[in-house]
Amino acid sequence: MQKLDMNRIALLGALSAVLFGCSLGVAAAEPAAAASRRVVRLNPEGGATAGGVTGWRGPEGGVALRGRALKTDGQGNATAVSGAAVRGPNGGRGARAGTTTVNADGSASHRSAMQAEGGRGSVSSEGSASRDASGNTTQSRTTSVTSAATGNSATTTSSYSKDTGRTRSTLCFDANGATVACPARP
């Protein structure tokens, strides 16, 4: 239950930071501008809670916003969350988010995802990794790309565990979703 509460509080902190960043008015600022805000405070669990947000606007109209938060409990447990979003002056955009938890017993976990799209296509990726208290690790990630020109796409899935080692597979699809042979690498 404590892990869920720490994750929820850290996530709320990151979301608050992002909302604060949106209120900074970076998009309405001068042609090129940046703004940031950071907060650190002690929490009732005997640890600290910290958060920050930074926003930028480029001279050509691109904007970016990044936020992060960290919460510790004074017992050796910590959770960090972060997120970012960008929009380029030519319409490309992307976003990512992640959370990492480290426990006093040495175990840890991480989850993250990203998505981006532009004139040439789109990409998305999500994955996780974990380590138990004995140091055993597992990892998995799935990444998909789609061509804007053809509609063709590819999805790669990779994973790792000490029992199975590293595995990786890629499937390719045409614009209708039918499986096709993947093109050879140049």
Side-chain angles (χ1 to χ4, degrees):
M1 182 71 170
Q2 185 171 354
K3 286 183 192 176
L4 177 62
D5 290 339
M6 287 183 64
N7 285 338
R8 183 179 298 145
I9 291 169
L11 180 58
L12 288 173
L15 290 175
S16 297
V18 169
L19 290 174
F20 175 78
C22 291
S23 71
L24 291 175
V26 172
E30 296 297 318
S36 66
R37 172 90 167 125
R38 298 177 197 275
V39 176
V40 178
R41 66 181 74 150
L42 297 177
N43 62 43
E45 292 84 17
T49 301
V53 65
T54 304
W56 302 268
R57 179 180 172 88
E60 302 297 321
V63 294
L65 182 65
R66 180 182 71 193
R68 59 179 61 181
L70 171 69
K71 182 176 187 299
T72 64
D73 66 2
Q75 305 299 313
N77 302 300
T79 298
V81 296
S82 63
V86 297
R87 187 186 73 223
N90 296 322
R93 58 186 172 202
R96 73 156 304 275
T99 180
T100 302
T101 300
V102 179
N103 301 305
D105 65 2
S107 62
S109 64
H110 174 79
R111 290 184 319 228
S112 62
M114 63 79 62
Q115 185 171 3
E117 60 184 46
R120 296 180 63 186
S122 63
V123 60
S124 64
S125 184
E126 62 180 296
S128 63
S130 64
R131 177 185 67 222
D132 66 20
S134 299
N136 300 308
T137 60
T138 59
Q139 173 273 330
S140 66
R141 178 155 295 276
T142 299
T143 302
S144 297
V145 297
T146 301
S147 167
T150 65
N152 293 349
S153 62
T155 299
T156 298
T157 302
S158 64
S159 63
Y160 171 82
S161 74
K162 76 173 192 170
D163 296 329
T164 60
R166 181 177 181 265
T167 62
R168 182 175 187 258
S169 64
T170 300
L171 293 173
C172 296
F173 307 92
D174 66 16
N176 296 318
T179 303
V180 296
C182 293
R185 293 178 112 178

